[in-house]
Amino acid sequence: MPTLRSRKVSQGSESVLSSPVGGSRAGSQLSSPSYFRGEQVAELLAGQDTASDDLSSEPESDTGSDFEETLKKGRKQLATVAQRSPVPKRSRQAISEKKIVVKKINSAKQKASPAPQSVKMPKSAPQLSRRPKRALTDKENDMMFSDSDQDSSKISVSVSPSKSLMQLSKRPKRVLADNNQTTEKKVRRVWMDRDHEVSDLSVTIKPHKSAMQSSRKPGQESKLNNSAQNQKKDANNLFEAVKLAKSAMQTLVDEWLELYKQDKETGLLELLNFFIHCCGCKGVIASEMFQKLQNAEIIRRMTEEFDEESGDYPLSMAGPMWKKFRQNFCEFIAVLVRQCQYNVIYDEYMMDTLISLLTGLSDSQVRAFRHTSTLAAMKLMTALVDVALNLNVHQENNKRQYDTERNKSAGKRANDRLEMLLQKSKEMLQNQEEVENMMNAIFKGVFVHRYRDLIAEIRAVCMEEIGVWMKRYSDSFLNDSYLKYVGWMLHDKQREVRLKCLKSLRHLYESKEISQKLELFTNRFKDRMVSMVLDMDYDVAVEAVSLLTLILQNTEDVLGNEECECVYPLVYASHRPTAAAAGYFVYIKLRRHYDATLEETIAKERGRRSTNGEFIKLLLAFFLESELHEHCAYLVDSLWNHAGSVLKDWEGMTELLLEEIGDDEEGLTDQEESALIELMVCSMRQAVEVHPPIGRFSGKKLLTAKEKKLQMDDRARLTEHLIVIIPQLLAKYSADAEKVANLLRIPSFFDLDIYSSKRQEKYLDLLLKQIRDIVEKHTGIEVLEACSRAYYILCNEEYTIRSRVDIARSQIIDTLVGIFTHSAEDLLHEVGETDEDNLYTVASSLKRIAALYNAHDLSRWELFDNCYRILERGIDMGDLSEQIIVQALLCVHFHILWRLALISDYPVTKEQLIGLRKQRNMVLTACQHGLSNISSQVREQSFILLCDLLVIFSAQMTKDGNEELRPLVFTADVSLVSELLSFVMDHVFVEAEEDGDDETVKIEMLHKRRNFLAGFCKLIIYNMVDLRTAADIFKQYMKYYNDYGDIIKEMLSKARQIDKVECAKTLLLSLQQLFSELLQDQGYADRASVQFSAIKDLGRRFALTFGVDLMKSRQSVVSLHLDGMKFVFQRHRGFDSPLNLPFLDVLSEFSCKLLRQDKKAVLAYLDKNYPAPLGAAPNEWLPLASYRKSLQARGDDDTMSMISGKPSSLRAKRVAAASAKRRRMEVSDTSVDGAWMHSGGSSQLGRKLATPVLTSTLLRPSQWDTGSLHSSSDQDSEKGSESDFAHSRSWLGSQNRNKQQNNQVQKNKVVKNRSRQKVRKQQLLSLMEEDGEDTDAGPMMSDATSEHSDANSDINLEPLSRRGRAGLLQDLFDSTILDIDDF
């Protein structure tokens, strides 16, 4: 047990420690502080040092042995004053006895016991004082007390003070006044000194428990019960008041203090019971229990009364009320200590008992006790830290007053005031020591053992509170002896513990002064803190980045470049809080290299209005070094909260872009200019759209009024500035395609009304002129699409500038169409070798027209005929470049879409429908021919357009009252679907090695292939292509899972919603195709080969997609098994095993998805239609045996997945139990192994198949057809036994002839089978005896079985009636639910 040592111990106390009584106690060997008794805490807080000190140290924790050494700073200046101070005239009340040695006299043998024992003092009496003790008088040596321990009537009590103690006592002798002993055996001793001050001490001599029980009067029992009930009521009142927060904590504490002052024991019991009830325990500490029992016994009794049926207790319960209770509980402890800090906590009674109880509870094995007491002890420690801080403040004030008074001249100095200040200083120093001893007790007794508790919440509480201590009382706690605990727990496995550690450290590093004192700790645990920025928990990662930011701010050169580089990439993280924290780290790092004074000087020299130029250059350098140039929007979003003012300095950015650089000046490089334009555009988007980029946006955020106003102000400001500047920027960078493409995005952020309201039409004309020049100058797709988008934005019908922009747009289109028409006519009429210049003109004009056609309706320019003629020549003759063919395909495709949009919005005529259908067929034909073109670009573009057109012109276009469009509906024929599927197999499912070694190229190619696959899957899930076409795609599910697994899985889910049975058959078809390919390659199926194992793995993965609710997939799984058996035994004749027989191993993977009654029906179907021939080799039919075994195996309780509801009545339970009992009696001794061959190799093909171990003996409902009774496999009859029914089955008649041949072998097996049968019976009967459930299963079952059955299905699954689980269990093994028909 760790002891609480006081660094300052008086000489009198030291002599007491050296007494024989103290020596007899030092021999105790306590290895852990499981609890503290009241007198032990008094001794510990008094500074008594025992041998158990050395035993309390542990290898991984600090016992706080150097706790006192850290407290020297607060006392050094007052120590000399205390030594010079005279002995105060007024004596302090203290307890005179230190130890009472009791000599027990045995009434039988009339001799003293060999070892003296200490009398246990009542807890109601004041505890031993921790201050310097007074010496005992000579008259105390002969005092004798009597008690009845061990059934003795007399006890000798003597007090033997040490001789040195008597000599050291400087106080005058006192006279002991003996009073008569009361009936409760109390002796009151009165000490009288020269100050006429009296200190009373009541010592209770406790009789033996049995003696007390024998001497108790008849009416005492009821009084004790009433007392316990009153104490429980008081504790409940206090608990309810704290839980419900009916009144302020200040009021509750004041009321309790009044009670405590009136009766200490009653008040303390109420407080202790309050903590017990806060643990969730219903027990009560009675007064008698408190006086007689030790803490360990009290805790044991409370544990026995704890409700262990529920693991919930107040601190673990969810809900706002219990969350508020935790706050109130912590506040109550803080207010309690604050109100008691001047008197009660020094009475050596309340705090000693409370700390002792909390220490014992914190070592309990009950989680509720341990958690609640640890929280209470930690909050108590925090409150004591505040008390210690207040004492320090008072000591400083007192010392200042003393120094001021002492420095006065002799005539003005008040000696009485000096003496009073000295006395007050001494008292505060003693109070400081007592508070430190209390903190030491809590730290050693609770924290040192609970900071590594098994429960994460307890560890988190310890880490949270130690951070508070180090922050508030840094003089004592801010050292390596306490910091190491936080450093160790940074490696904790639970996120909440790591999070609390980081938060505690963050509060410390917020102070620059404290950060300087943490240099050693920072260097020791820096690597761990840096690594935590990549923590798997986002909250921990955010806190780690914030902590490193504080270290960067408040320390010098602690984080090197290597550590900083671990944080930089996080600005591009998808988690926005992590990215924002990393953005602030980067901002602080860049600011440290930014000189504001130098920036102002440079700005004045170059005539800039902005002073952020140099910081923008630093930001550009960081962006370029990160080499993630496509993610500038993410960098801007990360920096937006902290560097928003710099990012919205568009005036400064445009000044840098348009700045004229002299010969001696250094400007931006070409790469920096591109980065700056992208940064400026992204910052404009962030300011106008006010939401994060794609990937960081978790939902639509509603803007507040302040945010809306800020958004409007930012948009107006950038519009007013950029309206004037954007034409200049386009003119300067018109030749650079990348820069122009980004600059053309800027008009989309404008408030276009400003063109009219501010009379800025001239700048609009300049902008339109620059856009036209760019269209005529560039042929790049990105630039042309940017120009088309700019025209589309400026042509918005809501603004008055639309007419002006429409004129400019029509002019450029007229020019382009004229150039294209002239060059196309020349190209189509050319004979022989084509003109290269003419080809270039056609290609460039088609690119520009296609880019504009994408966003603008150009159908009135009649471009379809010329484009289609170019397509025919390019595809048929192959003498045109792929660029011309691709752009021509796009033009005709856009023409079809614009025509369809036109007739959808306005009344349509028959001629329009006929013309559009003719043009659509022409485009589809051209695209279908393009699938076989030699150019890969033509093939890819044709495939994309075909998938889009098939979706657009599907049957869904007639919905919403558009029946007049039905003539336009198009359905793909088999040849077209086959070509599309061939394209997918040739261009999607290819090896990655074909893309080369460039990672960027690989990513782009993968993205393109995923688009191809998604386009074809779209046709399947919208039922535009036959579902069985997906079999070829399902085959690749496992092989290309990493690349396309999510797309295939989503398609499978959507296909199952369309038709469950057809989807299951498609999965089976894909497995059959793989198996057939294996047979073609190897000639046979080797069950041990890697290829066959891959097919089985694919089947297992398909089985998992059916989910856990077997009722929903009942019909589809049965159909899959039947079709699988047909595939295995197709064209099978003779005794040889079928070539497809190993496929049964694949089919076995789906057996676990069959209901129990369906397994029996499928097994009966298998045995009836595909029995193994007589005399066949056993090894050849192993797959069949394995498949039968999978159908016979008992799976999980599949009824749980389809039944839910209330428990059935008691009668249903009794019926289930009775039926289970009958089944136990009716189970036959026949073997249930059901194997086709035995391990010895002898064939058992002629033996009769064994009947199942369990069949239902309950009556079937009248609506079921009992005529199929003879065709079922396992159904028992009520008029005959199972063996009679098994003999009566017609499908086993052929096997009865061989029964006599195998009789001997069967007898040898019967013993083994009986033991196996008993085990299976117990397992199956456990299900039959469960409680029934009620009607909630009805809708689910009807929905699950409502799927239409396949026309060729041989097993018809009828829907189950709406009955409870008890009724369903009657039919669990009833195979007549399934009608089995022949082929």
Side-chain angles (χ1 to χ4, degrees), residues 259-270:
L259 176 63
Y260 181 78
K261 291 177 181 178
Q262 296 174 5
D263 189 345
K264 287 188 176 182
E265 183 176 335
T266 303
L268 183 59
L269 282 177
E270 181 180 356

Side-chain angles (χ1 to χ4, degrees), residues 88-94 134 171 174 193 195 197:
K89 295 181 180 181
R90 184 178 62 86
S91 60
R92 298 174 57 86
Q93 294 183 356
R134 296 185 177 93
R171 296 185 180 273
R174 298 182 176 87
D193 59 4
D195 295 331
E197 293 185 358

Side-chain angles (χ1 to χ4, degrees), residues 1008-1036:
K1008 183 187 295 185
R1009 291 168 187 153
R1010 287 175 60 86
N1011 287 337
F1012 292 155
L1013 180 60
F1016 186 77
C1017 293
K1018 183 169 54 178
L1019 301 178
I1020 296 175
I1021 62 178
Y1022 288 114
N1023 206 18
M1024 300 165 189
V1025 175
D1026 186 13
L1027 183 57
R1028 298 212 170 196
T1029 309
D1032 289 305
I1033 297 177
F1034 290 152
K1035 291 189 302 184
Q1036 314 296 332

Side-chain angles (χ1 to χ4, degrees), residues 3 114 125 130 234 247 305 432 453 455 461 494 609 640 780 804 854 890 934 969 1032 1085 1105 1126 1165 1174 1277 1309:
T3 57
R130 287 182 289 271
D234 295 339
S247 59
E305 298 184 19
Q432 182 77 16
D453 194 275
I455 306 303
V461 167
Q494 298 297 324
R609 290 180 295 176
W640 192 256
R804 189 186 296 266
N854 190 10
L890 289 174
I934 192 174
V969 175
D1032 289 305
T1105 61
K1126 293 177 184 178
Y1165 178 84
L1174 301 176
S1277 174
K1309 287 282 185 177

Side-chain angles (χ1 to χ4, degrees), residues 260-313:
Y260 181 78
K261 291 177 181 178
Q262 296 174 5
D263 189 345
K264 287 188 176 182
E265 183 176 335
T266 303
L268 183 59
L269 282 177
E270 181 180 356
L271 182 63
L272 298 183
N273 284 319
F274 163 73
F275 284 104
I276 293 296
H277 289 176
C278 288
C279 297
C281 179
K282 299 178 181 178
V284 177
I285 303 177
S287 177
E288 183 180 1
M289 184 191 306
F290 177 68
Q291 292 178 3
K292 295 184 178 181
L293 300 181
Q294 297 181 359
N295 281 345
E297 183 65 21
I298 293 175
I299 294 173
R300 186 186 65 81
R301 291 196 180 185
M302 294 299 102
T303 304
E304 292 174 355
E305 298 184 19
F306 196 90
D307 184 12
E308 297 182 358
E309 295 180 359
S310 174
D312 294 333
Y313 53 95

